[in-house]
Amino acid sequence: MSGLLRRLVSPAPPTLQRDTVRLRLEDAEIDVLRVRDPRARRIKLSVDERGVRLTLPPRASLVMGERFLQEHRGWLSEQLRNYQSHNLPPPLVIGEPGLLPLRGELLPLHWETGRYAHLEIDAAGACLHLPARGTEATVRRTLREFYEAQTRADVGQWLPRYLPSLPRAPSRLRLKVMSSQWGSLAPDGSMALDLALVLGRPSAFEYVLVHELCHLIQANHSPAFWDEVEQRFPAWREERDYFQREGRRLKAMLRQLL
């Protein structure tokens, strides 16, 4: 059977149904992502850098899901406290001095009124210029643009060092907010990097870049692949350990900012 015919007669893959519900928890209300997953076999509640997720199998009713949420309120409160206690800087408040994470440091952040929103590094740390009618959405968009520019600047600084030993350069660079991965390389040579990398120490970021570049040579994690990494970045084990210690915190910081 040809590939085209197989796609025509094969059933479409099951799709996830998503919506958001509000849950009163202690002194605040939180958003819970409710997902009906055809592959799920039981009701499941999880917490990660993306927030709270309630997964329902096909035959579970919404009432059953609501009851499950209520029965696990204590567990959920504890998990959220654990995420909030990762030594995160306080959330940014428009007009109030704050702290901006960048390259393993927390820069003092101050605000200025400007004609358009932009963020720049200055002698005092960082300054976010915001129009008088700027909103929290404006701040989030400005922060993302700033971090994307800083990420591309770092990659542009390091990449020429490694290109001569590679069979080709990455075809494209995409910057994403990833839930668990730090980077990936697609078969077409396009590279994706987690935007949270620029919040951590630069050596760890550079290791992830080298890791993904080495997949241009070995598209696996075989001993041969790690030999390629070792040749280019001998201290890769230290950076891997750094992510094990600090990775969840970095991703939580980015989620809080964006």
Side-chain angles (χ1 to χ4, degrees):
M1 183 183 298
S2 69
L4 176 61
L5 182 60
R6 186 181 297 109
R7 288 194 296 272
L8 291 174
V9 302
S10 299
T15 58
L16 304 181
Q17 299 176 9
R18 305 169 186 262
D19 63 359
T20 302
V21 296
R22 300 285 286 176
L23 174 67
R24 185 72 183 180
L25 200 62
E26 297 180 345
D27 297 329
E29 288 189 346
I30 64 170
D31 289 327
V32 177
L33 176 64
R34 183 169 56 192
V35 179
R36 188 172 294 280
D37 187 346
R39 299 165 299 182
R41 297 186 177 182
R42 59 185 177 85
I43 300 177
K44 180 181 177 182
L45 187 63
S46 60
V47 180
D48 60 18
E49 290 78 12
R50 297 167 292 182
V52 182
R53 174 178 173 134
L54 176 68
T55 303
L56 301 177
R59 296 186 179 181
S61 67
L62 299 182
V63 173
M64 294 172 62
E66 177 66 24
R67 185 182 304 125
F68 191 87
L69 269 178
Q70 296 298 332
E71 291 174 352
H72 292 81
R73 290 164 61 91
W75 177 87
L76 186 55
S77 295
E78 180 181 356
Q79 295 300 310
L80 289 174
R81 281 195 297 270
N82 289 339
Y83 270 88
Q84 294 166 358
S85 65
H86 287 316
N87 298 319
L88 301 183
L92 297 182
V93 178
I94 294 177
E96 296 185 7
L99 295 172
L100 184 77
L102 180 67
R103 299 188 178 97
E105 301 181 2
L106 292 175
L107 304 180
L109 175 70
H110 60 282
W111 305 74
E112 296 284 350
T113 301
R115 294 180 60 185
Y116 65 97
H118 65 285
L119 199 158
E120 58 186 17
I121 305 300
D122 59 20
C127 180
L128 203 159
H129 299 260
L130 192 67
R133 295 186 178 182
T135 64
E136 291 185 1
T138 308
V139 173
R140 290 194 296 270
R141 183 173 63 251
T142 303
L143 288 170
R144 179 158 191 146
E145 292 172 353
F146 170 78
Y147 283 129
E148 287 180 350
Q150 296 295 312
T151 299
R152 291 186 183 279
D154 285 351
V155 172
Q157 174 188 349
W158 297 322
L159 187 58
R161 186 184 313 164
Y162 300 104
L163 286 179
S165 65
L166 298 174
R168 64 188 188 279
S171 60
R172 186 161 61 104
L173 173 62
R174 293 177 297 137
L175 303 178
K176 303 169 60 176
V177 178
M178 299 182 172
S179 59
S180 57
Q181 291 180 298
W182 294 102
S184 65
L185 188 78
D188 65 358
S190 63
M191 179 186 297
L193 295 175
D194 185 8
L195 201 54
L197 287 166
V198 79
L199 305 187
R201 70 188 189 192
S203 58
F205 184 176
E206 186 176 0
Y207 155 63
V208 173
L209 176 64
V210 172
H211 182 113
E212 300 308 328
L213 290 175
C214 287
H215 281 310
L216 291 167
I217 305 172
Q218 296 285 342
N220 50 52
H221 287 99
S222 64
F225 166 80
W226 290 110
D227 286 343
E228 299 290 347
V229 175
E230 181 87 26
Q231 292 175 26
R232 294 164 177 80
F233 205 95
W236 64 269
R237 294 175 182 82
E238 298 174 15
E239 307 308 335
R240 180 190 58 185
D241 294 343
Y242 170 81
F243 283 118
Q244 291 176 349
R245 297 191 310 270
E246 299 291 334
R248 177 173 288 186
R249 176 173 173 266
L250 294 176
K251 289 181 179 291
M253 279 197 295
L254 184 67
R255 180 172 179 81
Q256 177 176 276
L257 288 163
L258 303 185

